[in-house]
Amino acid sequence: MSFISASLPIIKKNLSQYFILAFLFSMLIQIWPAVFTQPLRFVIRIAICNALLLLSAAAIYRYLLGKIASVLLTAALTLNFAISFCTWRIYQSEFSSVFAMSILTTHMSEISSMSGLFTYYFPIIALYFTITMLAIHYLAGNTSTTVKHGGACLLVVFFAWYTSANWLKQRKDLEVYYPLSSRILTNTPFYVASEFIIAVRDNKLAEHIYKHDTQYPAVSVSDTGIENFVVIVGESARRSNMQLYGFGLDTTPVESAFSNNALVFEHAIAPASATVLAVPMILSKADADHFTVNDLADNVIRVANKAGFHTEWISAQGNSGKSNNYVVAIASLSQKAQWVDTSYDEELLPELDKALTVAGRKLIVLHINGSHEMACIRYPASADYYHTDDKYEDCYNNAIRYTDHVIGEVTKRLGNSTSALLYFSDHGLEKNPQLESHYMHGSRNPSKEAYDVPQFIWYSPAALASKPRRLGKVEERYSTANNYELILSLMGISTGIPHCKSPLEPCYQPETSFSVMDGGRHIFEYDDLRSNFSSPDVNSHYRKADKDSL
């Protein structure tokens, strides 16, 4: 015992000489997963903030409360490292709000069954906690007061800088999806917490929309002679790249062939240039000026449920995250909603087959990936049709043609029943000659091509035989924000309020003004926008959304 007692001071002194190594080792372990999943600038910010946090902890370590705070800080850093490290090692991915939402909704039985995936990494996680505590302990005893206090002051400056910078950015771009707390934490070693904040926000939003009880004067259903109503929500499809609308390449052979059995909208205009805004406005009462929980809650899924239809949502897109939160809130109202892990949109068809076996009238929504960037990964090798010297132009046109193939497969499944299919794209894309991949979502100063989309209603032969249908073309300009009324009109559903924005109704009157929104929530008049991305900049005037909008 005396030998051990005599040896401890010597061991402690020798270890204290390596406090710099403990400090650096702790830093390296913390940024380890970020190096493989994040940009260099992100890794540098994390490393700087991590160093300042350890120095600040060392500055107060000599006090009891300082030691307690140091343990709590180390525990928080360890938790962030553990989650990001395990996500990277197991899933080869960065941690995202999708993972955060999964964790928040995981039951204890699922945790127990999955624990084996993570126990292998417990020694590394424990090592990080131990080394970080040693680093703080030895920094406290071997670093000058000036350095420690300087680190604490710089930490205050670091947080003040990123808080003010993100606050100003949030005000400038009107971006409300990322809460300020989430924006700030993204720049720190607690970046995992940022994704949990977003996941909690998405869950609350979906819950509010789900629980909101929209009242209608009177819901009734007339006999349309149609049993299956299928809506395909397309993605990033430019009308100008489709043969159906006069494009020089045969990108839509299927759609062009059945156009005589369809009502084709010649000049459809999307209400927004981003999915997260466009799709909810297309399927609900929300519009560019009024994007509220009440408006989103009044949507075609909820009305169809009240009218006695079986409703299903089958999606190839994610069920969380910035691009999907409002969409998922509406989709979750379906009697059956599923997000299928797919490589290509055609993989949704088996689920469609199952949905079509349900008896009675039904509304089935297919949300596809379409031609979203990067278009080269949106179709299988068998659909690699175009081969020119322009790779990315070929990729985009191949993706459009593959979507046409998927639409054809859907119509084959509907051909022997009384069915109607509505297809539209959520938004268009701008063509930027300076961009290697050519196509991009609408910019802060968008052009009309960011909103010019395809839309048509196709009827099966049996549906055409059952009752007269409006076929041909809708020549005038039409906002897909009116699809809420169009879909209800198509399904024969009345809410007690006239649906005069639907071209299928006798009271229909074409609109002359079209409000559209960009990704930063600036609202423009469509007529004020330049024709395309390469047109001269016209500095279009914009306004802000209603103060009550989300």
Side-chain angles (χ1 to χ4, degrees):
M1 287 295 294
S2 60
F3 172 76
I4 295 175
S5 300
S7 300
L8 283 176
I10 299 174
I11 295 172
K12 184 176 180 180
K13 181 178 180 180
N14 289 335
L15 286 174
S16 68
Q17 294 175 356
Y18 297 101
F19 74 95
I20 291 294
L21 289 178
F23 173 69
L24 293 176
F25 198 27
S26 170
M27 296 261 297
L28 289 173
I29 296 177
Q30 178 62 251
I31 66 173
W32 185 5
V35 168
F36 295 97
T37 59
Q38 302 290 348
L40 179 60
R41 63 181 183 278
F42 179 93
V43 176
I44 293 173
R45 287 199 302 265
I46 299 306
I48 292 173
C49 186
N50 193 79
L52 297 178
L53 283 167
L54 296 185
L55 285 171
S56 300
I60 60 173
Y61 190 73
R62 67 177 186 172
Y63 307 107
L64 176 60
L65 288 179
K67 288 181 172 63
I68 295 173
S70 297
V71 172
L72 294 176
L73 171 65
T74 303
L77 290 171
T78 302
L79 182 61
N80 185 94
F81 165 73
I83 293 175
S84 58
F85 180 74
C86 290
T87 305
W88 167 57
R89 291 296 299 171
I90 296 171
Y91 301 103
Q92 297 298 301
S93 170
E94 64 180 341
F95 188 78
S96 68
S97 57
V98 176
F99 287 108
M101 187 168 287
S102 298
I103 291 174
L104 292 174
T105 57
T106 296
H107 302 293
M108 287 305 298
S109 59
E110 293 175 330
I111 294 175
S112 177
S113 64
M114 294 180 65
S115 60
L117 291 173
F118 307 100
T119 52
Y120 180 78
Y121 302 109
F122 282 175
I124 298 175
I125 296 168
L127 176 66
Y128 171 76
F129 180 88
T130 303
I131 290 177
T132 302
M133 280 304 305
L134 285 174
I136 294 173
H137 176 77
Y138 290 124
L139 280 171
N142 296 274
T143 309
S144 68
T145 301
T146 301
V147 172
K148 290 182 289 191
H149 288 179
C153 291
L154 287 174
L155 181 66
V156 172
V157 172
F158 181 94
F159 274 98
W161 168 263
Y162 279 105
T163 299
S164 58
N166 282 298
W167 179 74
L168 291 172
K169 185 177 186 297
Q170 188 176 50
R171 290 193 62 190
K172 181 180 179 181
D173 63 14
L174 305 180
E175 172 60 79
V176 299
Y177 179 76
Y178 293 113
L180 183 60
S181 57
S182 175
R183 289 170 176 257
I184 296 169
L185 287 172
T186 300
N187 299 288
T188 73
F190 309 113
Y191 54 89
V192 161
S194 172
E195 302 299 335
F196 278 102
I197 291 172
I198 294 170
V200 169
R201 170 194 163 90
D202 286 358
N203 280 335
K204 286 182 178 179
L205 174 65
E207 183 178 359
H208 288 329
I209 293 176
Y210 184 83
K211 290 183 176 180
H212 188 85
D213 187 18
T214 305
Q215 299 296 323
Y216 304 97
V219 176
S220 61
V221 184
S222 60
D223 181 16
T224 62
I226 296 176
E227 184 176 56
N228 304 314
F229 296 90
V230 176
V231 176
I232 298 181
V233 181
E235 172 67 65
S236 303
R238 286 163 50 93
R239 189 170 66 226
S240 58
N241 283 64
M242 299 178 67
Q243 177 192 7
L244 180 65
Y245 293 95
F247 187 52
L249 301 178
D250 57 343
T251 52
T252 57
V254 173
E255 295 160 62
S256 299
F258 65 49
S259 59
N260 291 334
N261 292 352
L263 178 64
V264 180
F265 291 72
E266 289 287 284
H267 301 286
I269 300 168
S273 60
T275 301
V276 68
L277 300 171
V279 173
M281 283 193 269
I282 292 170
L283 298 179
S284 77
K285 288 292 291 293
D287 58 36
D289 290 293
H290 306 95
F291 197 85
T292 67
V293 168
N294 289 352
D295 297 314
L296 292 169
D298 188 356
N299 56 71
V300 296
I301 302 296
R302 172 166 267 131
V303 179
N305 287 336
K306 286 182 178 289
F309 284 75
H310 174 74
T311 55
E312 288 202 27
W313 187 287
I314 307 169
S315 177
Q317 300 204 13
N319 63 348
S320 183
K322 180 180 178 180
S323 296
N324 299 297
N325 64 332
Y326 303 126
V327 181
V328 171
I330 293 175
S332 298
L333 293 169
S334 302
Q335 293 169 19
K336 183 178 180 181
Q338 54 184 317
W339 288 265
V340 183
D341 185 11
T342 65
S343 297
Y344 308 112
D345 291 331
E346 204 169 1
E347 294 167 35
L348 296 181
L349 296 176
E351 298 304 323
L352 172 63
D353 292 335
K354 296 176 186 177
L356 290 172
T357 63
V358 177
R361 290 176 297 192
K362 43 197 166 289
L363 171 63
I364 304 168
V365 179
L366 300 178
H367 193 184
I368 64 175
N369 281 314
S371 42
H372 192 284
E373 303 106 310
M374 295 289 294
C376 296
I377 65 171
R378 300 303 175 190
Y379 55 89
S382 60
D384 190 15
Y385 187 80
Y386 297 106
H387 301 92
T388 70
D389 293 333
D390 194 333
K391 172 186 175 182
Y392 291 105
E393 188 71 26
D394 289 343
C395 284
Y396 188 77
N397 289 327
N398 281 331
I400 293 289
R401 202 173 198 275
Y402 178 65
T403 295
D404 180 75
H405 164 72
V406 172
I407 290 172
E409 289 299 310
V410 173
T411 58
K412 287 179 183 178
R413 286 159 169 77
L414 302 177
N416 295 323
S417 61
T418 52
S419 301
L421 165 67
L422 169 65
Y423 166 76
F424 59 84
S425 180
D426 54 359
H427 55 78
L429 291 179
E430 296 196 276
K431 188 171 185 178
N432 181 354
Q434 299 176 344
L435 194 67
E436 183 181 11
S437 59
H438 299 326
Y439 297 106
M440 66 181 194
H441 283 61
S443 63
R444 288 290 302 275
N445 187 17
S447 68
K448 291 178 180 177
E449 63 183 355
Y451 304 95
D452 292 343
V453 294
Q455 174 164 299
F456 61 80
I457 302 172
W458 170 88
Y459 296 97
S460 69
L464 289 174
S466 65
K467 282 191 175 185
R469 312 289 177 189
R470 180 180 175 182
L471 303 176
K473 296 180 179 180
V474 176
E475 298 281 0
E476 66 272 9
R477 295 182 302 174
Y478 169 86
S479 173
T480 57
N482 297 331
N483 277 6
Y484 167 87
E485 296 193 17
L486 174 67
I487 294 171
L488 296 186
S489 180
L490 178 66
M491 297 174 66
I493 299 176
S494 171
T495 59
I497 303 172
H499 297 150
C500 294
K501 293 182 179 180
S502 165
L504 303 180
E505 295 292 333
C507 62
Y508 170 68
Q509 290 292 328
E511 294 179 306
T512 57
S513 177
F514 303 90
S515 296
V516 296
M517 185 181 285
D518 70 1
R521 295 174 183 265
H522 306 92
I523 302 174
F524 300 84
E525 286 302 316
Y526 175 82
D527 286 337
D528 294 339
L529 302 178
R530 52 189 172 154
S531 297
N532 55 62
F533 184 85
S534 298
S535 300
D537 192 348
V538 294
N539 292 317
S540 303
H541 174 73
Y542 67 84
R543 65 184 185 275
K544 296 180 180 180
D546 184 88
K547 65 178 181 179
D548 295 324
S549 292
L550 294 171

